[in-house]
């Protein structure tokens, strides 16, 4: 008898309707040697009868089995399927999911080619109740490329994150030899089975193909087992499975995997349950704490270093059973970005709360100084706003009271307060919102207390069908700061709250009541409902009509219309309109579109060229691109357009000149009548463009797209022949494209150096006074480059030295300015105020360079610009080997050419700063050599050269 290549075990319980679709996805596989083994877990509906019908309709390809009694989980039916399977390989499929059409073929080929016991592909979550057809890939970074592992220890993240059993293909002989079975009588069986398979496999292959479509219904009336987190038994099972996995890893000596798994437990498993705690009772919390703390006691302490500050704080406070502070932390974690705690300050450090600070571990974990809550603009913080009381009169008026967090008392007692309460439709169609004045708003220590009475019946007029859900927000004005916060329910009981009368605009027969509801994130909202027999009957009839054939036609038309509306604002549609409509409009002579760092700043060489055009009185129209909600720091006389907006696209299409330092959107072709002046933003230490392995690995199509983007450059500014050998070649630019002018942004630095040489005096200018710098102290600028993680994401900035120690040891002689890369942000402890100053929000770094008496950097291209000033530089290269030898590589060895000390430790850095004058004299010749090699064309007239070359009509 022919042995199938793959046996797909399809398990089913009370799912007769969807079972045929799952089975058909197996029968439709492009690999023909596939059998289906259906195992029914003693269903109460027609599932087994349907399975037998499928068996009869597909003889030799489908076999059906039924367990004698229901097992209550997935383990027993899958184990039975393994025993009944006859294929060389085995896969698992749930009756409500489907396989990708090529899944079996792709996995079989990989297994046969590599001899792997286990092949894993990418799972895709399909959100069936999402109107836009949302799909999400399951940990796609694990499957970025094909790779074969000789042991799970080569890639621990696989065991830690991808714990599914269904997106995998197993050699059946391997399962039988190892005696691998799913645990029975306990949920989360996938976690243990997958861990056992990973650890036992002699070879594992990952393929970057979609193999499994996991159908998800977020709003299902009957929650899946794993989503019943309000049931304490659910958490009991989760803890037991984790203990068994830990025992397995310990038995095999996989301590590194255990640490990574512990971090994931804190980041994911624990978080899932913590989010629900504010909505659950005391009995649940006590039992939850008992179970969790027993497990947390065995967590590797190193795991806390690999989670977010809130995840670590929640785990710590849970261990202390500090419910007040924990619930605030859980609220902040659930509502990303929300600050729900008033914080505490001790000895120059900021902590999540004032408790547990006598414990060294508590001080370490609760320290949130680095989050910048004490320095960020108040208006940029999303403050927690907890409901403290809820009353209604039963007729349609509700009175709400709440308390807004006042972190560290930053809203001072003499600050004028005003507030309003807003009811806002979640789907903003027609009337968007209704506001009510807050009758009382006052300072109350760590909070701002408020009370508002809202006449819902007399004021709120929803449409009645479309705008079914309404959210509640408090809009608070504190002096010059305007804050908007959601209202979280907290511990207020809404079970007995009345449903409030409303008058819908469409019809009161469909809905005529506002019912208070707690959202998944614990916030207050209202849902339109109907009351009374007539209303319920009408709603039933309407619901029936809306699901009929005629309604289907209307719905499809509505969906098409909504899709067309959405597509009009999509990136794809905008690119199409740009090329097919805007690019047909005439080019507007004298129009220049400026952009710096993709619209994030008014800075750099585009700014210098713009200001030179203004100085010379050139007849031009300036349009500046900006990113974000509101432009700040841009010139008032220029036209401002938001990046990727319709005005932005039209401006680019009609501009005579494009001027930027990084790159206008790659998808937008430049018209022949437009001249693109690419100023770039720094000489290169790291390899760029086609010299990067990442670009080389993109394949022909990706490289062609990149080449088309850089081919738009009509002119590319360089400041040295080093740029010609590196940047120009990395971007494959022709020599005639290059303008050997130097950087316009450095004209000011050249002028500052000349003025200092002529007068023998260093003039600091108004910026020093603005920053409050002591004139008797020297100024050092610390400007590190950004760091990117392995998957290309930018890492958050963290000081590689103790900034408080720096201030204590050197703050009497130096003021340290900290300027992070524009992709990063920094937060300073209050204790260093005046001695260390964050200048990261200054758009333009050039005035900061001119102000600084010395520069501390690592590998940032700012070193090449600062060289123009001929002032001391220190290089804090604490991770030089990692940086210099990573996959991207560098053009030269920094240690050989650095025009200043290269130090590797914080102590060496502070010693080098202490010997500032010594370094100044010792490296004078090295600085000149460095400038000659990397800044030979920076002569102070770059902006003037550009203006005179391209704008000859300007006055002189």
């Amino acid at each position: 008898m022919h042995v199938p290549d793959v046996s797909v075990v399809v398990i089913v319980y009370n799912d007769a309707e969807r079972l045929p679709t799952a089975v058909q996805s197996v029968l439709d596989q492009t690999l023909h040697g596939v059998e289906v083994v259906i195992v029914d877990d003693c269903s109460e509906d027609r599932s087994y009868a349907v399975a037998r019908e499928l068996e009869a309709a597909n003889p030799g390809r489908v076999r059906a089995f039924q367990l004698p009694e229901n097992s209550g989980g997935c383990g027993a039916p899958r184990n039975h399927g393994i025993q009944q399977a006859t294929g060389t390989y085995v896969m698992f499929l749930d009756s409500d999911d489907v396989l990708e059409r090529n899944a079996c073929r792709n996995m079989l080929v990989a297994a046969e080619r590599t001899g792997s016991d286990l092949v894993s592909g990418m799972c895709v979550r399909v959100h069936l109740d999402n109107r836009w057809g949302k799909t999400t890939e399951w940990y796609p970074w694990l499957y970025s490329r094909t790779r074969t592992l000789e042991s799970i220890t080569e890639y621990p993240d696989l065991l830690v994150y991808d714990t599914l059993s269904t997106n995998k293909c197993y050699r059946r002989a391997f399962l039988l030899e190892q005696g691998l079975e799913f645990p029975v009588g306990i949920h989360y069986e996938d976690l243990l089975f997958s861990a056992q398979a990973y650890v036992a496999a002699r070879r594992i292959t990952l393929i970057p193909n979609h193999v499994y479509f996991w159908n998800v219904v977020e709003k299902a009336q009957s929650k899946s087992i794993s989503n019943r987190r309000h049931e304490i038994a659910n958490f009991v099972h989760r803890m037991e499975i984790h203990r068994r996995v830990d025992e397995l890893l310990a038995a095999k000596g996989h301590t590194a995997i255990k640490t990574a798994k512990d971090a994931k437990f804190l980041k994911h498993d624990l978080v899932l349950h913590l989010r629900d705690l504010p909505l659950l009772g005391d009995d649940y919390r006590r039992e939850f704490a008992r179970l969790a703390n027993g497990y947390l006691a065995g967590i590797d302490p190193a795991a806390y270093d690999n989670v977010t500050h809130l995840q670590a704080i929640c785990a710590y406070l849970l261990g202390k059973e500090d419910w007040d502070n924990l619930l605030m932390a859980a609220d902040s974690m659930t509502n990303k970005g929300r600050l729900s705690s008033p914080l505490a300050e001790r000895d120059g450090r900021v902590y999540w709360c004032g408790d547990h600070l006598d414990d060294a571990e508590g001080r370490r974990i609760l320290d949130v100084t680095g989050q910048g809550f004490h320095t960020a603009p108040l208006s940029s913080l999303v403050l927690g706003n907890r409901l403290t009381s809820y009353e209604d009169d039963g007729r349609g008026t509700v009175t709400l009271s709440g308390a807004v967090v006042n972190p560290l008392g930053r809203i001072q007692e003499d600050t004028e307060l005003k507030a309003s309460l807003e009811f806002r439709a979640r789907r903003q169609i027609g009337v968007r919102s209704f506001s009510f004045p807050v009758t009382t708003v006052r300072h109350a220590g760590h909070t701002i207390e408020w009370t508002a009475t809202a006449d819902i019946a007399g004021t709120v007029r929803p449409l009645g069908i479309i705008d079914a859900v309404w959210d509640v927000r408090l809009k608070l004005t504190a002096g010059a700061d305007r804050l908007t916060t959601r209202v979280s329910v907290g511990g207020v009981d809404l079970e007995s709250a009345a449903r409030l009368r409303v008058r819908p605009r469409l019809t009161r027969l469909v809905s005529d009541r506002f019912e208070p509801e707690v959202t998944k994130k614990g916030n207050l909202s209202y849902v339109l409902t109907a009351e009374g027999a007539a209303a319920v009957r009408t709603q039933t009839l309407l619901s029936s009509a809306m699901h009929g054939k005629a309604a289907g036609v209307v719905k499809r038309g509505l969906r098409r219309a909504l899709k067309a509306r959405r597509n009009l604002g999509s990136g794809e549609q905008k690119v199409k309109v740009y090329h097919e409509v805007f690019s047909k409009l005439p080019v507007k002579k004298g129009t220049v579109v400026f952009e710096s760092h993709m619209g994030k700043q008014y800075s750099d060489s585009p700014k210098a060229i713009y200001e030179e055009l203004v100085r010379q009185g050139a007849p031009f129209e300036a349009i500046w691109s900006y990113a974000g909600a509101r432009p700040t720091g841009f010139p008032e006389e220029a036209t401002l357009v938001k990046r990727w907006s319709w005005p932005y696209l039209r401006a680019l299409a009609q501009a005579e000149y494009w001027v930027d330092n990084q790159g206008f959107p790659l998808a937008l072709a430049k018209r022949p009548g437009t001249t693109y002046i690419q100023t770039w933003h720094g000489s290169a230490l790291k390899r760029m463009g086609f010299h990067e392995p990442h670009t080389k690995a993109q394949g022909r199509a990706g490289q062609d797209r990149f080449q088309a983007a850089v081919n738009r450059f009509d002119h590319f500014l360089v400041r040295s022949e080093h740029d010609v050998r590196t940047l120009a070649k990395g971007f494959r630019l022709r020599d005639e494209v290059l303008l050997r002018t130097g950087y316009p942004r450095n004209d000011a630095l050249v002028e500052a150096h000349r003025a200092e040489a002529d007068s023998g005096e260093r003039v600091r200018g108004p910026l020093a006074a603005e920053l409050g710098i002591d004139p008797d102290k020297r100024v050092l600028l610390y400007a590190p480059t950004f760091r990117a993680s392995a998957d290309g994401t930018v890492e958050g900035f963290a000081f590689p030295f103790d900034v408080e120690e720096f201030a204590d040891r050197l703050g009497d002689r130096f003021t340290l300015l900290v300027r992070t890369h524009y992709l990063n942000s920094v937060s300073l402890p209050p204790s260093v105020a005046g001695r260390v100053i964050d200048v990261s929000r200054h758009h333009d770094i050039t005035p900061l360079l001119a102000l600084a008496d010395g520069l501390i950097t690592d590998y940032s291209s700012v070193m090449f610009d600062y060289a123009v000033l001929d002032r001391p530089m220190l290089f804090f290269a604490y991770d030089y080997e990692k940086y210099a030898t990573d996959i991207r590589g560098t053009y030269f060895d920094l240690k050989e050419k650095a025009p200043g000390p290269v130090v590797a430790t914080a102590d060496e850095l502070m010693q080098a700063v202490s010997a500032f004058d010594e370094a100044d004299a010792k490296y004078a010749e090295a600085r000149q050599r460095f400038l000659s090699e990397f800044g030979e064309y920076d002569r102070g007239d770059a902006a003037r050269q550009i203006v005179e070359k391209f704008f000859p009509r300007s006055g002189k």
Side-chain angles (χ1 to χ4, degrees):
M1 185 177 72
H2 176 69
V3 176
D5 292 313
V6 180
S7 294
V8 179
V9 177
V10 182
I11 64 170
V12 60
Y13 175 69
N14 288 350
D15 198 16
E17 184 177 350
R18 291 179 292 189
L19 176 60
T21 301
V23 171
Q24 194 61 47
S25 76
V26 183
L27 297 175
D28 289 342
Q29 288 291 299
T30 54
L31 178 69
H32 297 300
V34 179
E35 73 163 352
V36 183
V37 178
I38 305 174
V39 183
D40 174 58
D41 196 12
C42 200
S43 295
E44 297 172 350
D45 69 351
R46 292 192 69 254
S47 292
Y48 184 56
V50 171
R52 294 295 301 273
E53 292 167 4
L54 291 167
E55 179 182 46
N58 300 277
R61 297 199 67 194
V62 177
R63 292 183 292 136
F65 302 89
Q66 185 178 44
L67 298 185
E69 60 182 8
N70 178 250
S71 69
C74 301
R78 285 179 181 159
N79 291 339
H80 191 76
I82 295 173
Q83 297 302 319
Q84 297 297 334
T86 61
T88 306
Y89 296 89
V90 176
M91 294 176 62
F92 302 106
L93 173 64
D94 292 346
S95 60
D96 52 348
D97 301 328
V98 294
L99 293 183
E100 195 277 336
R101 191 164 181 265
N102 299 291
C104 292
R105 178 182 297 279
N106 288 336
M107 288 185 149
L108 176 70
V109 169
E112 295 291 274
R113 177 175 53 82
T114 62
S116 295
D117 290 327
L118 188 161
V119 175
S120 189
M122 198 183 304
C123 173
V124 179
R125 285 167 59 94
V126 180
H127 301 265
L128 297 180
D129 54 349
N130 181 272
R131 64 173 64 93
W132 314 129
K134 176 184 174 183
T135 62
T136 52
E137 294 178 333
W138 187 254
Y139 296 112
W141 50 273
L142 293 172
Y143 297 95
S144 60
R145 61 182 176 86
T146 300
R147 68 171 80 194
T148 297
L149 313 172
E150 299 299 325
S151 166
I152 189 61
T153 57
E154 295 179 19
Y155 200 32
D157 282 353
L158 185 61
L159 181 147
V160 171
Y161 290 96
D162 189 359
T163 56
L164 301 177
S165 66
T166 49
N167 60 332
K168 296 170 178 62
C169 180
Y170 311 84
R171 192 182 299 277
R172 187 166 66 95
F174 159 70
L175 296 178
L176 298 176
E177 291 167 4
Q178 296 293 329
L180 293 180
E181 290 186 338
F182 289 87
V184 177
I186 188 169
H187 305 322
Y188 305 105
E189 53 276 290
D190 271 21
L191 273 71
L192 182 58
F193 180 83
S194 295
Q196 291 172 330
Y198 283 137
V199 169
R202 288 156 295 196
R203 185 170 293 165
I204 303 168
T205 294
L206 310 183
I207 59 174
N209 307 85
H210 291 169
V211 298
Y212 193 91
F213 294 113
W214 177 3
N215 292 325
V216 180
V217 180
E218 296 285 355
K219 299 176 183 177
Q221 290 184 348
S222 178
K223 293 290 186 182
S224 66
I225 292 170
S226 60
N227 283 326
R228 298 174 194 162
R229 292 188 291 273
H230 60 286
E231 300 174 4
I232 196 65
N234 185 288
F235 191 61
V236 171
H237 286 205
R238 188 186 289 271
M239 291 294 90
E240 177 59 26
I241 287 292
H242 273 284
R243 287 190 181 91
R244 295 188 191 183
V245 174
D246 291 346
E247 290 171 1
L248 170 69
L249 296 176
K252 299 294 183 180
H254 294 324
T255 55
I257 299 180
K258 170 66 164 61
T259 302
K261 176 185 167 296
D262 285 348
K264 195 246 186 176
F265 176 84
L266 296 174
K267 290 192 291 187
H268 175 72
D269 302 80
L270 187 62
V271 166
L272 287 176
H273 293 267
L274 286 173
R275 286 173 174 168
D276 295 330
L277 279 186
L279 308 178
L280 298 171
D282 291 340
D283 290 343
Y284 180 98
R285 292 176 190 171
R286 280 192 292 270
E287 181 62 11
F288 175 80
R290 184 185 68 80
L291 293 166
N293 290 333
Y295 186 78
L296 288 171
I299 290 282
D300 185 343
Y304 286 89
D305 296 329
N306 297 310
V307 301
T308 68
H309 71 286
L310 274 174
Q311 290 162 353
I313 287 170
C314 283
Y316 177 82
L317 293 174
L318 177 62
K320 298 295 183 181
E321 296 192 36
D322 181 348
W323 298 112
D324 290 338
N325 288 313
L326 172 59
L327 293 180
M328 289 189 290
D331 180 61
S332 290
M333 187 167 56
T334 302
N335 295 273
K336 188 175 181 181
R338 178 183 291 177
L339 176 59
S340 298
S341 171
L343 307 177
E345 185 176 342
R346 300 284 190 279
D347 302 322
R349 307 295 295 177
V350 177
Y351 298 92
W352 181 257
C353 59
D355 302 310
H356 317 295
L357 300 184
D358 54 344
D359 172 25
E361 185 71 357
R363 287 196 304 276
R364 183 179 72 84
I365 292 177
L366 297 172
D367 191 330
V368 293
T369 309
Q371 302 305 311
F373 297 131
H374 58 296
T375 57
L378 194 62
S379 58
S380 71
L381 299 178
V382 180
L383 302 180
N385 182 7
R386 182 174 55 86
L387 194 65
T388 54
S389 72
Y390 182 99
E391 298 177 1
D392 62 71
D393 63 0
R395 296 186 301 274
T397 298
V398 62
T399 299
L400 308 178
S401 296
V404 180
V405 167
N406 183 10
L408 300 174
R410 292 187 58 184
I411 303 176
Q412 298 179 1
E413 289 197 16
D414 58 352
T415 302
E416 182 181 2
L417 302 174
K418 297 179 182 177
S420 63
L421 197 65
E422 178 188 64
F423 288 68
R424 188 179 185 87
R426 192 171 294 175
R427 295 185 66 187
Q428 296 172 19
I429 300 173
V431 178
R432 298 166 63 93
S433 64
F434 296 91
S435 293
F436 300 90
V438 169
T439 53
T440 302
V441 55
R442 66 183 186 86
H443 294 272
H446 295 310
T447 62
I448 303 296
E449 294 182 349
W450 58 270
T451 298
T453 298
D455 178 11
I456 302 296
T459 308
V460 177
R461 297 294 308 279
L463 286 175
I465 297 176
I466 301 173
D467 50 352
V469 182
W470 290 65
D471 296 315
V472 182
R473 291 175 169 83
L474 182 79
K475 292 192 168 183
L476 173 66
T477 300
D481 293 307
R482 296 182 179 181
L483 312 169
T484 300
T485 67
R486 289 289 301 272
V487 179
S488 64
V489 174
V492 176
D493 182 14
L494 298 181
E495 290 293 327
S496 59
R499 295 196 293 179
L500 309 172
R501 293 179 179 275
V502 289
R503 293 186 299 153
R505 294 175 182 270
L506 292 179
T507 172
R508 294 178 64 180
L509 293 175
V510 177
S511 52
D512 60 356
R513 293 291 188 275
F514 245 3
E515 182 174 3
E517 182 180 84
V518 183
T519 69
K520 288 193 299 183
K521 294 187 175 183
N523 299 315
L524 177 63
S525 67
Y526 285 85
V527 179
L528 278 170
T529 61
E531 187 168 284
V536 172
R537 282 197 301 272
T538 304
Q539 195 171 43
T540 302
L541 288 172
L542 181 64
S543 176
S544 176
M546 291 184 71
H547 290 87
K549 290 184 178 180
V553 175
V554 174
K555 283 181 177 180
R556 286 192 291 273
L558 179 60
R559 279 196 293 266
R560 284 194 294 268
L562 289 173
K563 183 178 180 181
R565 180 180 175 183
R566 288 198 313 276
N567 287 344
L568 187 62
S570 69
E572 181 181 354
Q573 188 67 18
K574 284 184 172 181
V575 171
K576 184 176 181 181
V577 171
Y578 170 85
H579 289 110
E580 296 182 5
V581 180
F582 291 159
S583 291
K584 301 297 189 293
L585 300 173
V587 171
K588 297 171 66 175
K589 295 294 183 182
T591 301
V592 189
V593 177
F594 294 92
E595 185 171 286
S596 178
H597 295 304
M598 296 185 288
K600 293 182 175 68
Q601 300 177 350
Y602 172 62
S603 66
D604 213 78
S605 292
K607 172 188 176 184
I609 293 174
Y610 166 78
E611 293 182 348
E612 181 66 15
L613 281 165
V614 172
R615 190 183 66 78
Q616 292 198 27
F620 75 107
E621 178 186 355
I623 300 174
W624 270 94
S625 153
Y626 72 90
R630 294 187 299 272
T632 56
F634 288 84
E636 295 182 0
E637 62 274 13
T639 300
L640 305 184
V641 292
K642 187 172 183 178
R643 203 171 197 264
W644 272 112
S645 66
W646 291 111
Y648 173 81
L649 296 174
R650 180 164 181 164
L652 284 177
Q654 291 193 273
E656 184 179 8
Y657 294 98
W658 291 359
V659 178
D660 93 307
N661 65 351
Q662 192 156 343
F664 288 109
L666 303 183
L668 305 181
K670 181 186 69 67
R671 299 173 66 178
T674 301
T675 298
Y676 190 168
I677 303 172
Q678 173 57 256
T679 70
W680 203 239
H681 53 272
S683 298
L685 171 58
K686 276 218 160 184
R687 295 187 178 276
M688 302 291 293
F690 288 99
H691 292 163
E692 288 186 56
H694 173 72
T695 306
K696 295 176 182 178
Q698 283 184 342
R700 182 63 178 272
Q703 291 185 22
D704 287 347
R705 285 192 296 270
F706 183 78
Q707 188 65 65
V710 298
N711 283 348
R712 298 178 303 173
F713 303 160
D714 294 299
H715 303 283
F716 187 89
L717 274 55
V718 296
R719 56 195 304 264
S720 68
E721 288 304 306
H722 168 77
D723 291 354
V724 176
R725 295 188 300 271
T726 56
L727 289 171
K729 289 191 180 299
F731 292 146
R732 295 180 180 173
L733 299 176
R734 304 182 311 277
D735 191 71
E736 57 268 27
V737 171
L738 307 181
L739 290 180
R740 292 171 168 81
T741 59
Y743 282 169
R745 72 182 186 191
N746 288 342
D747 290 349
L749 300 181
V750 174
E751 178 58 32
H753 178 60
R754 287 175 180 165
E756 184 178 339
D758 291 344
S759 66
E761 180 183 359
R762 184 168 300 168
V763 179
R764 287 185 169 176
L767 181 58
E770 177 187 332
L771 296 174
I773 293 174
D774 186 336
D776 295 327
K777 293 182 182 179
R778 293 186 176 181
V779 179
L780 296 178
L781 176 65
Y782 177 46
T785 191
F786 74 97
R787 300 296 197 278
S789 59
D791 61 0
T793 57
V794 176
E795 297 178 355
F797 175 79
F799 276 102
F801 58 90
D802 188 330
V803 69
E804 290 180 291
E805 182 185 359
F806 188 100
D808 291 341
R809 288 177 57 174
L810 301 165
D812 59 337
R813 297 169 51 199
F814 298 94
T815 298
L816 182 67
L817 308 181
V818 179
R819 174 56 145 73
T820 60
H821 189 274
Y822 72 91
L823 293 173
N824 290 133
S825 59
V826 66
S827 181
L828 298 172
S831 58
V832 303
R835 297 175 294 172
V836 183
I837 303 172
D838 176 19
V839 292
S840 300
R841 290 189 175 90
H842 284 252
H843 277 197
D844 200 353
I845 196 173
T846 301
L848 297 170
L849 295 174
L851 171 62
D853 298 302
L855 173 71
I856 303 173
T857 187
D858 42 17
Y859 323 107
S860 171
S861 64
V862 73
M863 69 176 82
F864 302 110
D865 304 299
Y866 196 74
V868 172
L869 292 164
D870 190 25
R871 298 177 190 170
M873 284 188 268
L874 306 176
F875 297 86
F876 186 29
Y878 58 92
D879 57 352
Y880 182 76
E881 297 305 322
K882 175 184 175 183
Y883 191 91
T885 60
D886 79 353
I887 192 170
R888 186 166 163 184
T890 58
Y891 285 116
F892 62 88
D893 187 339
L894 178 63
K895 289 185 176 180
E896 292 182 0
K897 294 183 180 289
V902 179
V903 297
T905 67
D907 191 58
E908 289 175 350
L909 170 66
M910 295 184 196
Q911 289 180 26
V913 173
S914 297
F916 184 79
D917 292 329
E918 179 183 330
D920 188 1
K922 181 178 179 181
Y923 286 91
E925 292 185 9
R927 291 199 299 271
Q928 288 302 313
R929 290 195 301 270
F930 194 79
L931 178 61
S932 297
E933 182 172 357
F934 299 109
E936 58 190 296
Y937 300 132
D938 275 332
R939 306 185 185 97
D941 61 351
R944 181 177 57 79
Q945 287 189 63
I946 298 298
V947 170
E948 291 180 354
K949 179 177 178 64
F950 297 103
F951 297 87
R953 294 166 293 173
S954 58
K956 297 185 180 178

